[in-house]
Amino acid sequence: MKIARVVVDVPAMQTDRPFDYLIPDQWKDVIVPGIRVIVPFGPRKVQGFVIEVTSASEVSKLKKISELFDLTPALTDELLELGKWLTEKTLCFQISAFQAMLPAAMKAKYEKRICLTRSSGEMSPELAALFENNQDLSWKDAEAHNLFAALQKEIKKGTLEVVYQVSQKGKQKKVRYLTPAADFETLKRTAEEMPAQAGRQKAVLDYIIASQKSEISISDLKARVNASDSSIKSLVQKGILAEKWMEIYRDPFEHRTFKQTKNMALTNEQQTAIAPILDSIEAGRHEVFMMYGVTGSGKTEVYLQAIDRVMKEGKEAIVLVPEISLTPQMVDRFKGRFGSKVAVLHSGLSTGEKYDEWRKIQRKEVQLAVGARSAIFAPFENLGIIVIDEEHESSYKQEENPKYHARDVAIRRAESYRCPVVLGSATPSLESFARAIKGVYHLLPLRERVNSRALPEVNIVDMREELRKGNRSMFSSDLFEQLQLRLDRKEQTVLFLNRRGFSAFVMCRDCGYVIQCPNCDISMTYHRQGNKLKCHYCAHEAPMPSVCPECSSEHIRFFGTGTQKVEEELAKVLPEARVIRMDVDTTSRKGAHERLLGQFGDGKADILLGTQMIAKGLDFPNVTLVGVLAADTMLHLPDFRAAEKTFQLLTQVSGRAGRHELSGEVVIQSYTPDHYSIQLAKDHHFDGFYEREMMERKQHAYPPFYYLAVVNVSHPDLLKTSSVMENIAQFLIQNLDPHTKVLGPVASPIPRIKNRYRYQCMIKYKRDEKLIPLLKKVMDRYQQEMARDELAISIDLNPTTLM
DNA sequence: AGCACGCCGACT
DNA sequence: GTCGGCGTGCTC
């Protein structure tokens, strides 16, 4: 008998390996790698993925696979292989890797039930009544009615038993439809021979004959010829029509039409950029392109035409976009060009809708998947290109297990399919741009805007100056004037408030001095407890000063503001302005995001006020002013990427102004206007920023000069947490390569979450073969404590955030 | 993760 | 003497 190696759906260290099962003869040809099965595991039943079929096992007493869960593999061979790779690269469980590649609807659902056995003998009267009409009882009901004692006796007697049911969370949506059971000639004859009193049945047949359709939906029949259930039923019973089931898709775009677009003529620059991509497609060569183009330089058109070529060759494409920019505008462009060949996968869809879009890919009914991070796992089998738009976006990194970066997965998949990856951004991540400069990636610059429109003029307002002038409001006089001007001219404004950076950094309102750690050049975090400052990178501490160490001003304090406050303030100073506020609160309901943007696009408001989510992708012709209320907030986060993120954000936001006929202006308010990330964003000078930031990174041994790994430990007990972390750090220091730097342990930037204390330590390395095995060893060593005690250890290789 | 098995304290 | 507490170890 053949044997299947199965990875079971039990995410634990001790079960993170394949278990062998016998394949029953009737399934010997059906069960192939990638198929999900249900297997007995100890006393229960669990779902598992078949990863291999062999003929021998080291285990002698094998159990049989109890059920088949798929008829076609849920994961292709390539995705199984990719899962293995993910496991190694991110140190996650195999099962977690597999599950990450499938839509949430395909996760297994477990239910425990109590069933009658065949040898049902006498039962106690109260239970007998319960099982009078039911074959079984759910475990939850039994629990709720406190029946366990009585049930246990019956189980001992053998009249009842416990069964484990495994099903899938999401279901395919199916509809009943009718099909003629005979050819149309026979149908015609039957219709004529219909008895007179069967008028409705005759009408149904006449309609079917007239329409010449072989598949008739029941709702259609009911609407068109007023058919009733009984007349349909009798036609089916007579064998004239047959009933069938058909899978239908929940269509998230049902009520939307997309304007068909064609390839546009490319500018010279675009042509120069696309040529090497097309070469690579044609040659079947894997290559990574870094398409570095200013906002409005027409990156999307290049993607579209490259994808068009791929699809003409009968291959498939994946386009990743950041979660938040999956606004209708982006979907429109792809749907408009490729119509029904597109599947869209993003968080705005329901679980069922996502599953249906995924099914379209699996069934090869579409050739293009557009979506957020997880769309990188689209189950295509003949990929011709992968595009990652806004490559620098942090949402491409998953923060939960498996902690993968979509860019790495994209490159890995593209290697297997020998196809190109196109990374696009106006503000590439330092890592990617450095690789492009080194020649690892192929750099494709787009320096001109398609409409030759100049980039908007950016004014930086020094908020310290405003304060000196006696303006204590959150709007500088410059911004206020500009706002007033747009109202008069009936033009629109986007106001951006960066709420990230809520963590209290300490800054002097007079000179803009921000207190930084002497060892790390990272801003220190204010701690209410003890009124002191801490660095979360090296654990350095300092007392909270009462006067600014730089200028001795007393106006030194910590910072933070919200959109609601801004809205109130706006209502006070510009009562006639109509404001739409977009933040987590106003966009939490489904479709709210799109609706608000639609309203703004229709000119129903003068000002769009929002957080991160309005930073990208928006393109409204009437917007001529963009205001950034506080450019600094992010700059002082305890994050070595703070400057990079600030630069990216400011550049991104600035790009929202004056994209069409009207020219635009940008006002950036800042307490640190001289910081290079702000100054260089003003000049739209990425290259300058890159060089400056690379110096900083080199000096402080951060990526791209070093790789990072972070070990996080958490436990309800503070002492336990720090001592475990200390032990791990010591172990790593003693065993890692001497060139590898281990920093910490320190308390995490958020030292306690949900009553668990958190400690971390950072590892900076260039090349260290010992690292992964050592980290595995650490996990192994603490495995027991993690299972029993409340200890948790997590490892993030190449973290994007250190929170 | 679940679940059974097994070894100690407080009850009929 | 038995019921049930949760520490320990296993799941093909």
Side-chain angles (χ1 to χ4, degrees):
Chain A
M1 225 191 286
K2 284 212 270 186
I3 288 155
R5 314 208 74 204
V6 177
V7 171
V8 293
D9 180 21
V10 181
M13 273 204 109
Q14 298 161 79
T15 51
D16 187 33
R17 61 191 171 87
F19 288 82
D20 294 349
Y21 287 91
L22 293 171
I23 299 177
D25 255 356
Q26 79 252 39
W27 296 330
K28 69 179 194 313
D29 299 321
V30 192
I31 290 182
V32 292
I35 288 240
R36 291 174 300 164
V37 291
I38 293 164
V39 291
F41 196 65
R44 59 205 168 119
K45 279 186 180 158
V46 296
Q47 191 188 68
F49 288 77
V50 175
I51 55 160
E52 202 186 330
V53 175
T54 55
S55 49
S57 171
E58 286 172 7
V59 184
S60 50
K61 43 167 185 63
L62 292 184
K63 290 185 183 174
K64 273 194 288 191
I65 287 174
S66 35
E67 272 175 72
L68 210 54
F69 211 78
D70 294 307
L71 291 176
T72 42
L75 295 172
T76 62
D77 290 346
E78 183 242 341
L79 288 176
L80 280 174
E81 188 63 34
L82 188 69
K84 228 166 92 191
W85 173 86
L86 258 183
T87 307
E88 283 159 23
K89 286 287 168 186
T90 69
L91 294 179
C92 70
F93 304 133
Q94 285 178 62
I95 191 69
S96 314
F98 292 153
Q99 248 140 26
M101 301 195 276
L102 295 172
M106 287 174 77
K107 247 191 111 168
K109 197 175 80 184
Y110 295 96
E111 210 189 354
K112 226 160 127 180
R113 300 191 76 87
I114 299 146
C115 279
L116 283 169
T117 56
R118 252 154 290 168
S119 62
S120 28
E122 288 291 294
M123 235 194 291
S124 73
E126 54 159 347
L127 284 180
L130 252 169
F131 285 93
E132 183 85 354
N133 304 314
N134 301 315
Q135 276 294 301
D136 57 0
L137 176 76
S138 83
W139 188 264
K140 272 194 185 146
D141 284 346
E143 201 164 27
H145 294 100
N146 199 20
L147 292 167
F148 285 150
L151 290 168
Q152 194 178 42
K153 276 183 203 148
E154 299 300 332
I155 290 165
K156 259 190 191 148
K157 261 165 58 186
T159 44
L160 294 176
E161 65 179 338
V162 176
V163 294
Y164 297 85
Q165 268 179 22
V166 188
S167 57
Q168 190 166 295
K169 277 194 180 137
K171 286 225 168 67
Q172 291 159 18
K173 199 170 171 183
K174 293 201 170 159
V175 286
R176 205 159 51 109
Y177 72 101
L178 298 167
T179 180
D183 56 60
F184 283 98
E185 281 308 307
T186 334
L187 231 55
K188 222 175 249 176
R189 236 175 303 124
T190 333
E192 280 156 14
E193 289 162 13
M194 269 292 164
Q197 70 266 38
R200 285 268 68 86
Q201 292 183 37
K202 187 172 183 304
V204 169
L205 287 183
D206 286 342
Y207 171 71
I208 293 171
I209 293 159
S211 70
Q212 290 279 308
K213 278 194 283 193
S214 57
E215 287 168 4
I216 308 102
S217 87
I218 288 173
S219 58
D220 195 31
L221 271 185
K222 284 184 178 169
R224 298 295 186 97
V225 291
N226 196 19
S228 64
D229 279 326
S230 64
S231 47
I232 292 170
K233 204 171 165 192
S234 48
L235 280 169
V236 172
Q237 262 168 10
K238 285 179 196 162
I240 302 164
L241 297 179
E243 243 181 0
K244 290 200 172 151
W245 287 91
M246 178 166 52
E247 180 181 347
I248 56 153
Y249 296 132
R250 284 152 275 218
D251 184 1
F253 304 101
E254 205 178 350
H255 305 296
R256 293 256 304 279
T257 49
F258 299 94
K259 213 169 92 206
Q260 185 73 38
T261 65
K262 290 210 181 79
N263 284 357
M264 291 194 269
L266 295 180
T267 63
N268 285 341
E269 241 193 3
Q270 283 174 319
Q271 254 160 24
T272 315
I274 202 172
I277 303 176
L278 297 180
D279 275 357
S280 156
I281 292 168
E282 242 138 74
R285 185 174 55 216
H286 167 66
E287 213 170 335
V288 181
F289 296 95
M290 171 76 249
M291 196 156 78
Y292 158 51
V294 294
T295 36
S297 60
K299 290 190 290 285
T300 311
E301 186 60 30
V302 176
Y303 304 153
L304 287 165
Q305 296 198 15
I307 292 164
D308 191 47
R309 173 70 60 92
V310 163
M311 283 167 61
K312 286 206 171 105
E313 295 202 350
K315 294 188 179 181
E316 298 127 353
I318 296 174
V319 176
L320 294 190
V321 288
E323 189 63 76
I324 228 145
S325 83
L326 260 170
T327 52
Q329 292 183 0
M330 200 66 185
V331 174
D332 283 0
R333 293 199 68 175
F334 288 95
K335 284 258 181 184
R337 190 68 56 90
F338 304 114
S340 61
K341 288 182 185 148
V342 188
V344 177
L345 295 158
H346 76 278
S347 67
L349 306 182
S350 70
T351 322
E353 284 167 342
K354 266 188 248 171
Y355 176 48
D356 288 353
E357 293 291 303
W358 185 88
R359 291 272 299 155
K360 287 185 198 166
I361 301 166
Q362 196 197 24
R363 296 168 78 164
K364 306 289 163 344
E365 292 168 4
V366 294
Q367 277 178 280
L368 169 62
V370 180
R373 182 179 60 231
S374 63
I376 196 58
F377 299 115
F380 286 126
E381 289 176 274
N382 194 11
L383 272 174
I385 192 170
I386 300 175
V387 173
I388 303 185
D389 191 31
E390 308 287 357
E391 167 275 338
H392 60 277
E393 270 299 312
S394 57
S395 68
Y396 288 130
K397 173 73 193 285
Q398 177 151 78
E399 296 299 339
E400 299 93 61
N401 278 330
K403 296 181 176 157
Y404 67 92
H405 198 297
R407 192 201 298 137
D408 303 334
V409 180
I411 293 170
R412 173 65 217 239
R413 287 198 79 183
E415 276 167 8
S416 335
Y417 286 104
R418 290 191 286 121
C419 76
V421 172
V422 179
L423 308 174
S425 177
T427 52
S429 64
L430 246 65
E431 281 99 323
S432 294
F433 201 74
R435 284 193 187 136
I437 295 290
K438 264 175 83 180
V440 182
Y441 297 166
H442 190 144
L443 187 66
L444 305 171
L446 290 175
R447 296 185 183 272
E448 292 155 24
R449 302 184 99 181
V450 170
N451 53 12
S452 320
R453 202 143 268 300
L455 285 161
E457 191 180 312
V458 179
N459 303 303
I460 297 173
V461 178
D462 186 344
M463 291 304 275
R464 296 168 301 183
E465 198 59 41
E466 290 291 315
L467 194 71
R468 260 176 240 133
K469 283 193 278 181
N471 179 5
R472 295 184 148 268
S473 86
M474 50 182 91
F475 308 107
S476 59
S477 51
D478 192 9
L479 179 59
F480 181 75
E481 258 168 50
Q482 296 282 354
L483 274 166
Q484 187 69 60
L485 194 63
R486 303 308 129 153
L487 280 179
D488 296 343
R489 284 203 232 141
K490 307 245 175 299
E491 291 171 2
Q492 291 176 300
T493 300
V494 170
L495 270 189
F496 181 81
L497 178 72
N498 188 6
R499 260 190 81 253
R500 209 183 282 157
F502 222 98
S503 127
F505 66 96
V506 175
M507 181 169 72
C508 171
R509 295 253 288 180
D510 280 329
C511 72
Y513 178 77
V514 173
I515 299 185
Q516 295 199 310
C517 171
N519 308 322
C520 307
D521 264 349
I522 289 285
S523 48
M524 303 204 43
T525 307
Y526 175 73
H527 285 252
R528 205 177 289 265
Q529 312 93 302
N531 193 38
K532 60 189 171 185
L533 301 167
K534 264 191 191 170
C535 169
H536 291 299
Y537 280 62
C538 70
H540 176 79
E541 278 188 23
M544 170 71 186
S546 52
V547 294
C548 173
E550 201 70 3
C551 73
S552 304
S553 159
E554 285 177 0
H555 295 137
I556 185 156
R557 49 192 58 125
F558 58 91
F559 275 73
T561 324
T563 42
Q564 274 167 355
K565 214 171 145 193
V566 179
E567 197 181 18
E568 285 166 25
E569 200 81 358
L570 267 176
K572 266 186 232 159
V573 295
L574 288 170
E576 72 275 29
R578 296 164 301 164
V579 181
I580 289 181
R581 177 162 63 93
M582 270 182 81
D583 55 26
V584 256
D585 298 333
T586 62
T587 55
S588 53
R589 270 188 305 132
K590 205 187 164 198
H593 194 252
E594 297 183 11
R595 205 190 59 243
L596 290 174
L597 287 179
Q599 284 174 6
F600 188 65
D602 294 342
K604 290 192 179 121
D606 307 301
I607 298 171
L608 178 66
L609 165 66
T611 52
Q612 318 293 121
M613 61 180 72
I614 63 169
K616 35 188 117 43
L618 308 188
D619 188 359
F620 297 112
N622 205 29
V623 171
T624 59
L625 173 64
V626 168
V628 180
L629 291 168
D632 322 87
T633 51
M634 203 153 57
L635 201 51
H636 309 299
L637 281 176
D639 183 349
F640 69 93
R641 283 196 171 86
E644 183 182 355
K645 283 182 182 161
T646 301
F647 180 85
Q648 286 166 350
L649 195 78
L650 293 179
T651 308
Q652 206 84 229
V653 177
S654 305
R656 302 303 115 219
R659 295 181 60 109
H660 297 264
E661 287 76 33
L662 303 164
S663 61
E665 259 177 87
V666 178
V667 176
I668 295 175
Q669 303 189 152
S670 168
Y671 286 92
T672 41
D674 299 325
H675 191 277
Y676 62 95
S677 65
I678 295 175
Q679 283 298 326
L680 292 164
K682 169 187 156 74
D683 300 333
H684 310 280
H685 192 1
F686 176 78
D687 296 350
F689 174 77
Y690 170 75
E691 296 202 343
R692 177 65 211 271
E693 182 66 9
M694 283 296 269
M695 269 167 47
E696 298 285 326
R697 300 288 180 88
K698 186 168 191 176
Q699 199 178 344
H700 296 103
Y702 276 119
F705 294 95
Y706 277 82
Y707 289 109
L708 290 187
V710 168
V711 180
N712 283 286
V713 171
S714 74
H715 189 276
D717 183 60
L718 177 62
L719 234 79
K720 175 78 186 171
T721 315
S722 62
S723 79
V724 169
M725 188 73 262
E726 183 62 47
N727 285 338
I728 295 174
Q730 281 310 317
F731 172 76
L732 291 174
I733 290 167
Q734 276 157 30
N735 293 287
L736 281 171
D737 191 286
H739 298 292
T740 299
K741 305 175 186 202
V742 178
L743 284 85
V746 291
S748 299
I750 306 167
R752 191 173 60 153
I753 291 181
K754 291 180 186 163
N755 280 320
R756 299 176 63 90
Y757 289 90
R758 308 162 78 230
Y759 263 75
Q760 61 184 206
C761 93
M762 195 195 290
I763 302 148
K764 292 178 175 175
Y765 62 103
K766 290 215 180 203
R767 245 186 109 219
D768 200 333
E769 261 101 46
K770 288 181 251 169
L771 181 67
I772 300 260
L774 279 174
L775 290 175
K776 276 189 187 161
K777 228 175 187 171
V778 167
M779 292 303 257
D780 232 37
R781 155 75 180 76
Y782 288 98
Q783 187 217 108
Q784 286 211 337
E785 277 188 74
M786 282 159 67
R788 297 190 209 333
D789 198 13
E790 286 193 83
L791 183 71
I793 301 173
S794 86
I795 293 167
D796 193 343
L797 292 158
N798 302 321
T800 50
T801 164
L802 304 168
M803 300 298 220

